[in-house]
Amino acid sequence: MKKKQQHGGGDCPAPRPPAAAAAAAGGGPGPGQGGGWKRRRPLSLLPFLSLRDYGFCMAALLLFCLGSLFYQLNGGPPHFLLDLRHYLGNSTYLDDHGPPPQKVLPFPSQVVYNRVGKCGSRTVVLLLRILSEKHGFNLVTSDIHNKTRLTKNEQMELIKNISTAEQPYLFTRHVHFLNFSRFGGDQPVYINIIRDPVNRFLSNYFFRRFGDWRGEQNHMIRTPSMRQEERYLDINVCILENYPECSNPRLFYIIPYFCGQHPRCREPGEWALERAKLNVNENFLLVGILEELEDVLLLLERFLPHYFKDVLSIYKNPEHRKLGNLTVTVKKTVPSPEAIQILYQRMRYEYEFYYYVKEQFHLLKRKFGLKSPIRKPRPRPEFFIPSPLETEEPIDDEEEDDEKWLEDIYKR
């Protein structure tokens, strides 16, 4: 036994099991450890990390601490982190950060269609009813249908009601242009449709008297106070003998929808015309022409897909066409050439505005590669400035309750 120990060397300890080696590594070299055992680095608490890995971890910890300090100094996390958490799901959103950001809204999320009477508005409203159910936007309508001119307080109240509607919304009503920013609101995007002024006037003239194909007596309900002699008044007599309904300022109808609520907007003249043009350029996304309604709907679908996606296919659907045909005015007659020429003269500014909008609309179509129908253009009427006509102050046109007839259609 003694010889064996001497042979193995008196200074060299016997080999130890792995457990003993690990214990020695944690507590330092044992008392009998010789120079053949290397001293472990003090960082060996994490033996699986190299010195480079350990430095990386320390750098990450430093960044985390700086980020926490930034968090405390700025009162919360950056907005992009909140948005990211909300996108990943409410389960990752901390309650102590306050209410989550609003849902992502389409742009624009506030649209106003201050529809001009007898310019296809009932057809478009019917389409909007279908589209709002299909795409989930908020279609906001009004119970008031025949008040286009508002007092200052009425403007403030209406703008407040519109602005507080759930977004995205599309508000529609027969009302002259409203300046939301004047009352501290966010200015919405406007859209509208107009048509040839004389055709619009004739459609309204006979519609108030005889209605359309939706019912034989609906005109009697709409204008019950109209006297029989007025209801059956010949259109030529009305124009040639200068009845109030066929004279200014009653004929000055389209421009105020774009000019606004200023009293001068109801006076036929250059001031109202130029202001209407300015508002078209600055506040209206699109003003279309009823004579080219399919192109109008196509552009609306491109500009406002969240609202008008698939509108053209719905419009061309035979079932919708059947309903649309019910709104055609009945018993319309064409005035004599002399009466038409007088209307042209009295509606001079209306036609200047109509052709201005039409040119802008065709320019927009060309930008999107849409071709206007090839047809022989109608010659523009030759205007001369007529002498001022003394007429009575106009009475507000009695617009039909659009909501009622739409509800009647859905009940069928």
Side-chain angles (χ1 to χ4, degrees):
M1 291 294 292
K2 291 182 180 180
K3 292 182 178 180
K4 189 175 182 180
Q5 290 176 356
Q6 290 177 354
H7 179 74
D11 297 332
C12 295
R16 290 170 297 176
Q33 186 173 0
W37 291 87
K38 294 183 179 180
R39 180 186 292 261
R40 292 279 184 177
R41 292 189 298 269
L43 304 179
S44 57
L45 290 172
L46 299 174
F48 54 91
L49 293 179
S50 66
L51 184 60
R52 180 179 178 180
D53 294 337
Y54 186 83
F56 179 82
C57 292
M58 293 300 295
L61 180 61
L62 178 62
L63 289 176
F64 175 78
C65 293
L66 292 175
S68 298
L69 179 62
F70 178 81
Y71 177 96
Q72 296 295 330
L73 293 176
N74 288 275
H79 290 295
F80 77 91
L81 288 180
L82 296 178
D83 295 339
L84 179 61
R85 286 175 177 173
H86 187 58
Y87 175 77
L88 293 175
N90 290 331
S91 59
T92 65
Y93 194 85
L94 300 180
D95 294 336
D96 58 353
H97 292 149
Q102 294 182 352
K103 63 179 180 181
V104 178
L105 296 172
F107 180 81
S109 60
Q110 304 171 80
V111 181
V112 172
Y113 170 36
N114 62 323
R115 58 187 191 268
V116 181
K118 302 311 297 176
C119 290
S121 59
R122 289 196 308 278
T123 298
V124 178
V125 168
L126 178 57
L127 289 170
L128 288 172
R129 287 280 187 184
I130 300 172
L131 291 169
S132 65
E133 294 181 2
K134 183 175 183 179
H135 301 315
F137 64 86
N138 185 18
L139 180 61
V140 184
T141 58
S142 174
D143 295 331
I144 303 174
H145 306 284
N146 61 350
K147 190 174 181 59
T148 58
R149 311 166 190 173
L150 308 178
T151 65
K152 183 177 179 180
N153 289 335
E154 289 172 338
Q155 293 178 57
M156 294 175 61
E157 185 67 22
L158 180 57
I159 289 174
K160 178 182 177 181
N161 292 337
I162 298 173
S163 301
T164 55
E166 181 183 358
Q167 299 183 28
Y169 69 74
L170 191 152
F171 173 78
T172 178
R173 172 181 161 177
H174 294 293
V175 64
H176 295 168
F177 174 79
L178 294 167
N179 189 346
F180 282 60
S181 59
R182 178 189 174 194
F183 299 99
D186 295 331
Q187 190 71 7
V189 166
Y190 275 83
I191 59 174
N192 218 322
I193 301 173
I194 65 174
R195 69 189 292 190
D196 180 275
V198 166
N199 288 339
R200 194 219 68 82
F201 162 73
L202 295 177
S203 178
N204 184 68
Y205 183 88
F206 291 104
F207 176 74
R208 295 183 67 243
R209 286 162 171 78
F210 308 114
D212 51 35
W213 292 106
R214 285 173 289 161
E216 295 180 359
Q217 301 298 325
N218 60 2
H219 61 285
M220 302 296 293
I221 300 173
R222 190 174 303 105
T223 54
S225 61
M226 183 178 287
R227 302 187 304 273
Q228 285 297 96
E229 56 270 22
E230 182 183 0
R231 189 178 303 279
Y232 292 97
L233 176 65
D234 183 85
I235 183 67
N236 292 298
V237 174
C238 181
I239 297 170
L240 297 176
E241 297 188 11
N242 196 26
Y243 278 68
E245 187 176 359
C246 301
S247 306
N248 280 316
R250 292 287 293 276
L251 294 178
F252 194 68
Y253 184 85
I254 297 176
I255 288 178
Y257 276 87
F258 300 88
C259 178
Q261 298 290 334
H262 194 283
R264 293 187 66 182
C265 287
R266 301 191 291 271
E267 300 174 3
E270 291 288 342
W271 189 91
L273 171 64
E274 294 304 318
R275 181 158 177 164
K277 290 180 180 179
L278 181 64
N279 280 332
V280 167
N281 294 332
E282 293 185 352
N283 296 293
F284 282 80
L285 178 66
L286 177 68
V287 181
I289 303 299
L290 182 62
E291 293 84 353
E292 303 171 32
L293 181 57
E294 289 192 9
D295 289 338
V296 176
L297 298 178
L298 182 59
L299 288 177
L300 285 172
E301 185 172 355
R302 294 192 181 185
F303 291 159
L304 301 169
H306 186 79
Y307 300 89
F308 289 95
K309 185 180 179 182
D310 300 325
V311 64
L312 198 55
S313 60
I314 297 174
Y315 173 71
K316 292 181 177 181
N317 185 287
E319 289 299 319
H320 175 80
R321 286 294 180 94
K322 186 186 301 182
L323 293 176
N325 291 336
L326 295 176
T327 64
V328 177
T329 303
V330 299
K331 296 186 179 182
K332 282 199 298 186
T333 60
V334 179
S336 67
E338 180 185 3
I340 290 289
Q341 182 60 32
I342 291 177
L343 284 179
Y344 282 154
Q345 296 164 7
R346 294 175 182 172
M347 304 176 80
R348 168 189 177 181
Y349 297 109
E350 293 276 279
Y351 268 100
E352 286 192 25
F353 180 74
Y354 171 74
Y355 282 116
Y356 174 80
V357 169
K358 190 173 183 178
E359 289 172 358
Q360 297 297 313
F361 179 66
H362 286 171
L363 178 62
L364 194 60
K365 285 174 58 177
R366 287 195 295 271
K367 288 182 179 179
F368 282 85
L370 300 178
K371 295 183 178 180
S372 299
I374 301 175
R375 63 179 66 159
K376 186 177 181 180
R378 293 175 54 187
R380 294 195 181 190
E382 296 294 334
F383 295 116
F384 66 87
I385 300 178
S387 58
L389 300 175
E390 295 296 331
T391 58
E392 300 177 8
E393 182 67 19
I395 303 173
D396 285 332
D397 288 338
E398 298 182 25
E399 302 287 357
E400 182 189 0
D401 188 335
D402 293 303
E403 311 305 319
K404 185 178 185 305
W405 82 265
L406 285 171
E407 292 174 1
D408 293 341
I409 287 177
Y410 281 110
K411 290 178 181 177
R412 295 178 184 176

